[in-house]
Amino acid sequence: MAGHQAMTGTLHLIGVGPGDPELLTLKAARLLGTAPVVAYPATVEDQALALEIASPHLNPDAERMPITIPMRVDRAPAKAAYDRAAAAMLTRLNAGDDIAYLCEGDPLFYGSAMYLVDRIASHAPIEIVPGVSSLTAAAASIRRPIAARNEVLKVLPAPLPDETLREELANAPAAAIIKVGRHFDRVRALLMETGHAGNAVVVEHASSGRERISPLSAFRHDERPYFSIILCYRGHEPWGRTP
């Protein structure tokens, strides 16, 4: 990349998929097998799902660089954390070390890797390795198309306000609700209101050994699915028939 020092290392932003270590791409596995430095997001509680998924593929001699990201509504602490992470990575990249940054699912589909691109791209080369997203993994788990032919699919984050979700769902034959967490009861009520609840399926920990698939209606009002996505369909495409 023009303008970079000859010894500058490359930052590889690697999608490690939704949970099953066998869902990494061949390219991701190859890069992880040789990367001298492996960085990954971790919570304050030291949870690091991306590292857990990628572990079978890692260079056993790789240095590990945890990036602690505060999970708060206020964005300022997370912004500061990514600033610090980018600075630490640039120190290693400028020394000539390649870094593999692990990202659950796909790096640029609501992935944490997006916050590193602008911070580092003007200083060092970046290579992005796509990964299997939770959306496609969940659809594979329930063996049901997400949408068909000319149907519109909407991917909606659950923290959106009720009026926004209601408006987006109004004309959507297919929808995927992500980032559900504590918003579960509120989202379920909206899906019942818009007619999406009948065929809605909740997939927790898609593709992993902890995977759980349940109809939306099976959850109690005090139950919260974890690491989940809700797939909804109220379209009319005859998936099982010859077109």
Side-chain angles (χ1 to χ4, degrees):
M1 186 175 294
H4 296 306
Q5 299 175 6
M7 289 299 293
T8 300
T10 298
L11 174 63
H12 300 276
L13 303 177
I14 298 179
V16 299
D20 183 351
E22 292 187 338
L23 288 181
L24 271 73
T25 64
L26 293 173
K27 185 171 187 177
R30 174 177 59 80
L31 291 170
L32 292 177
T34 59
V37 181
V38 175
Y40 53 92
T43 65
V44 176
E45 294 79 16
D46 197 33
Q47 294 176 332
L49 179 59
L51 178 65
E52 178 184 333
I53 297 170
S55 288
H57 304 283
L58 297 183
N59 170 10
D61 298 322
E63 175 186 338
R64 297 186 179 185
M65 181 186 290
I67 307 299
T68 302
I69 309 298
M71 304 302 289
R72 301 178 189 173
V73 176
D74 179 10
R75 298 301 300 157
K79 180 180 181 298
Y82 284 114
D83 288 342
R84 291 191 298 270
M89 289 181 187
L90 281 170
T91 297
R92 301 304 300 271
L93 292 168
N94 290 334
D97 293 325
D98 289 345
I99 299 176
Y101 181 83
L102 312 178
C103 188
E104 298 165 31
D106 179 87
L108 300 182
F109 183 71
Y110 295 93
S112 60
M114 72 177 76
Y115 301 112
L116 296 172
V117 175
D118 285 346
R119 288 172 167 86
I120 290 180
S122 61
H123 305 286
I126 291 181
E127 180 178 4
I128 299 173
V129 181
V132 176
S133 72
S134 59
L135 174 60
T136 52
S141 293
I142 67 173
R143 297 183 294 279
R144 193 177 82 184
I146 303 172
R149 299 187 69 186
N150 296 324
E151 291 176 330
V152 173
L153 166 68
K154 293 190 177 182
V155 181
L156 302 172
L160 288 171
D162 282 5
E163 57 270 23
T164 302
L165 288 172
R166 187 179 291 110
E167 180 180 353
E168 292 292 342
L169 288 165
N171 297 309
I177 314 297
I178 62 174
K179 303 181 181 180
V180 181
R182 60 189 176 86
H183 303 279
F184 182 72
D185 283 341
R186 181 175 66 86
V187 168
R188 173 166 50 185
L190 281 168
L191 294 176
M192 293 176 65
E193 177 184 331
T194 61
H196 291 82
N199 290 320
V201 179
V202 182
V203 183
E204 302 172 76
H205 297 281
S207 82
S208 76
R210 292 168 286 183
E211 181 180 86
R212 178 188 177 197
I213 301 171
S214 311
L216 180 66
S217 59
F219 284 87
R220 303 186 307 269
H221 282 279
D222 59 349
E223 192 175 4
R224 297 289 183 274
Y226 194 57
F227 276 114
S228 61
I229 185 169
I230 303 175
L231 296 182
C232 315
Y233 185 76
R234 65 171 191 184
H236 305 287
E237 282 296 331
W239 297 329
R241 305 174 199 165
T242 302

